[in-house]
């Protein structure tokens, strides 16, 4: 797609929400059915909220099936001074059945706003836009790095956005990812790192035969079981000051043999390794492959590295965010590296990156919901963070 300048008019097929009202904008975003990979309408809504605030909006679609096409949005306002980037995603996981109301019809019940994406993470995006709306345009440089594919393969999402930024010479000084990091109350946890992830598939070939004549066959199962036993016995590390121990889990074991009197021709297994910053995905995959080949030289071993571990050591950035949270909530947040992966694994290569957002108790669940008060409070915290980063002298 071509870049759209701030003076171009848009026609959006849903009601426009005020940029400075996080609840109204969250409702408008939730109303767009944006199951991963997301494109189109939900980006129209976000773009329409950003244009009046002076953002230069760059939307583009990349990739082909099966992992694409994916739409991404890069919005920049200002130049010079410090550059603060906010990153997030507009795609959501499928809602499933059993909701109390339509997951893509935002509904307020009591003090909660329900809808798919309310906390993961359309609510946080709406809160940041509202924060930008009250931040002076001449305060410094603000950007939004928004993808339509974080919940899916993430092949053509944030990585493509980083390529776009590099091509345009856009280099933020700090990046905040708006993932729902809070656990029990807004602001009780921020993420300063994440473990890496690698999945490994192992297939051992044998030779099919009758169980009564084992000398005429070659059973692959004992070799697979032996290598898995060796892998299971590995202790990768005992953890670090900021990371829990790395772990290897056997997530699938398949033979698929329906007959009781047949030695199967092959057996396969799948592993998932979550690792801290003492390791690299490629080295872990090579270690597993060496074990597999020792037990079964002809084994097929395939690895897919979803992301490397990263850590933004506690320092000025995390202290600044913690101060903004404590000023609004009265509580000092815990600095953590727990949980699964996020797109921060890619963005951390650009600049110091931290994650902070809404309470994650209902993300990916039926009747996902965000407290209305939390949307307003998160907007205020994000606005405070922007001022602390862009105009530290006035704090």
């Amino acid at each position: 797609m071509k870049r759209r300048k701030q003076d171009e008019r848009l026609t959006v097929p849903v009601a426009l929400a005020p940029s400075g009202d996080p609840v109204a904008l969250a409702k408008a975003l939730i109303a767009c059915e944006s199951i991963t990979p997301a494109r189109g309408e939900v980006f129209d809504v976000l773009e329409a909220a950003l244009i009046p605030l002076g953002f230069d909006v760059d939307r583009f679609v990349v990739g082909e099936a099966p992992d694409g096409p994916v739409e991404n949005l890069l919005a920049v306002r200002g130049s010079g001074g410090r550059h603060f980037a906010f990153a997030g995603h507009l795609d959501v996981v499928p809602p499933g059945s059993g909701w109390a109301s339509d997951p893509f019809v935002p509904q307020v019940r009591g003090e909660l706003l329900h809808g798919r994406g309310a906390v993961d993470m359309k609510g946080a995006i709406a809160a940041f836009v509202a924060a930008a709306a009250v931040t002076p345009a001449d305060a410094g440089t603000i950007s939004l790095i928004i993808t339509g594919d974080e919940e899916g393969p993430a092949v053509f999402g944030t990585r493509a956005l980083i390529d776009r930024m590099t091509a345009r010479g856009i280099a933020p000084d700090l990046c905040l990812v708006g993932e729902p990091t809070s656990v029990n109350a807004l602001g009780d946890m921020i993420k300063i790192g994440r473990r890496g992830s690698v999945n490994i598939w192992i297939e051992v070939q044998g030779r099919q035969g009758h169980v009564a004549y084992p000398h005429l066959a070659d059973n692959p199962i004992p070799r697979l079981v032996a290598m898995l036993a060796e892998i299971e016995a590995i202790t990768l590390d005992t953890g670090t000051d900021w990371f829990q121990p790395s772990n290897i889990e056997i997530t699938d074991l398949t033979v698929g043999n329906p007959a009781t009197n047949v030695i199967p021709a092959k057996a396969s297994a799948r592993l998932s390794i979550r690792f801290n910053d003492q390791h690299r995905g490629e080295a872990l995959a090579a270690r597993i492959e060496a074990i597999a080949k020792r037990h079964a030289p002809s084994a097929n071993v395939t690895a897919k590295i979803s992301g490397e571990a990263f850590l933004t050591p506690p320092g000025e950035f995390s202290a600044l965010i913690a101060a903004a949270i404590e000023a609004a909530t009265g509580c000092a947040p815990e600095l953590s590296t727990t949980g699964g992966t996020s797109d921060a694994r890619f963005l951390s290569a650009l600049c110091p990156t931290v994650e902070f957002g809404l309470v994650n108790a209902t993300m990916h669940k039926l009747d996902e919901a965000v407290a209305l008060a939390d949307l307003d409070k998160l907007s205020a915290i994000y606005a405070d963070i922007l001022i602390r980063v862009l105009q530290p002298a006035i704090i």
Side-chain angles (χ1 to χ4, degrees), residues 10 44 106 126 149 185 189 222 250 274 307 321 323:
L10 298 171
D44 293 340
D149 182 26
M189 181 177 288
I250 301 168
R274 296 300 172 99
I321 293 174

Side-chain angles (χ1 to χ4, degrees), residues 65-356:
D67 296 331
V70 171
E71 184 161 8
N72 299 300
L73 180 150
L74 175 62
V76 183
R77 187 183 76 183
S79 61
R82 299 183 86 182
H83 180 170
F84 183 90
F86 175 87
H89 62 92
L90 285 170
D91 62 310
V92 297
V93 296
S97 58
W99 285 63
S101 58
D102 189 320
F104 295 109
V105 175
Q107 185 175 106
V108 174
R109 299 199 293 272
E111 300 301 318
L112 299 177
L113 170 62
H114 291 264
R116 175 56 87 218
V119 296
D120 190 16
M121 55 170 292
K122 293 177 177 180
I125 291 174
F128 187 80
V129 174
V134 298
T135 302
D138 60 355
T141 305
I142 302 173
S143 62
L144 287 89
I145 307 167
I146 308 296
T147 183
D149 182 26
E150 191 272 348
E151 301 289 6
V155 173
F156 300 115
T158 296
R159 286 185 280 193
L161 277 158
I162 291 172
D163 291 342
R164 191 82 157 197
M165 294 168 68
T166 301
R168 291 182 54 189
I170 297 172
D173 297 303
L174 301 167
C175 182
L176 174 67
V177 182
E179 287 288 346
T181 60
S182 302
V183 180
N184 298 309
L186 180 66
D188 62 2
M189 181 177 288
I190 64 177
K191 305 286 186 179
I192 60 170
R194 295 276 189 165
R195 294 196 297 172
S197 173
V198 57
N199 290 298
I200 301 174
W201 290 260
I202 302 172
E203 184 178 272
V204 179
Q205 298 292 332
R207 186 170 64 254
Q208 184 174 306
H210 197 293
V211 295
Y213 302 92
H215 60 289
L216 299 178
D218 179 17
N219 195 334
I221 296 176
R223 282 171 289 159
L224 179 62
V225 169
M227 71 177 69
L228 291 178
E230 182 175 344
I231 292 168
E232 178 68 18
I234 294 173
T235 298
L236 288 172
D237 56 71
T238 57
T240 70
D241 288 344
W242 289 105
F243 284 98
Q244 66 194 87
S246 304
N247 63 297
I248 305 174
E249 301 299 331
I250 301 168
T251 57
D252 188 43
L253 182 61
T254 302
V255 177
N257 180 11
T260 59
N261 59 351
V262 174
I263 294 172
K266 66 179 181 180
S268 60
R270 184 181 65 234
L271 310 175
S272 180
I273 307 178
R274 296 300 172 99
F275 56 94
N276 58 38
D277 58 350
Q278 295 187 35
H279 307 276
R280 300 290 292 177
E282 187 175 347
L284 289 170
R287 182 175 179 180
I288 297 299
E289 183 173 15
I291 294 172
K293 294 290 188 180
R294 188 165 62 251
H295 289 275
S298 62
N300 295 318
V301 181
T302 303
K304 182 178 180 181
I305 301 169
S306 300
E308 301 289 351
F310 80 92
L311 176 69
T312 299
E316 177 192 2
F317 189 21
S318 55
L320 180 153
I321 293 174
I325 292 171
E326 190 165 5
T329 66
C331 297
E334 176 187 354
L335 306 184
S336 173
T337 62
T338 58
T341 59
S342 75
D343 277 0
R345 67 192 189 273
F346 307 126
L347 295 158
S348 61
L350 293 178
C351 60
T353 301
V354 170
E355 301 174 53
F356 168 59

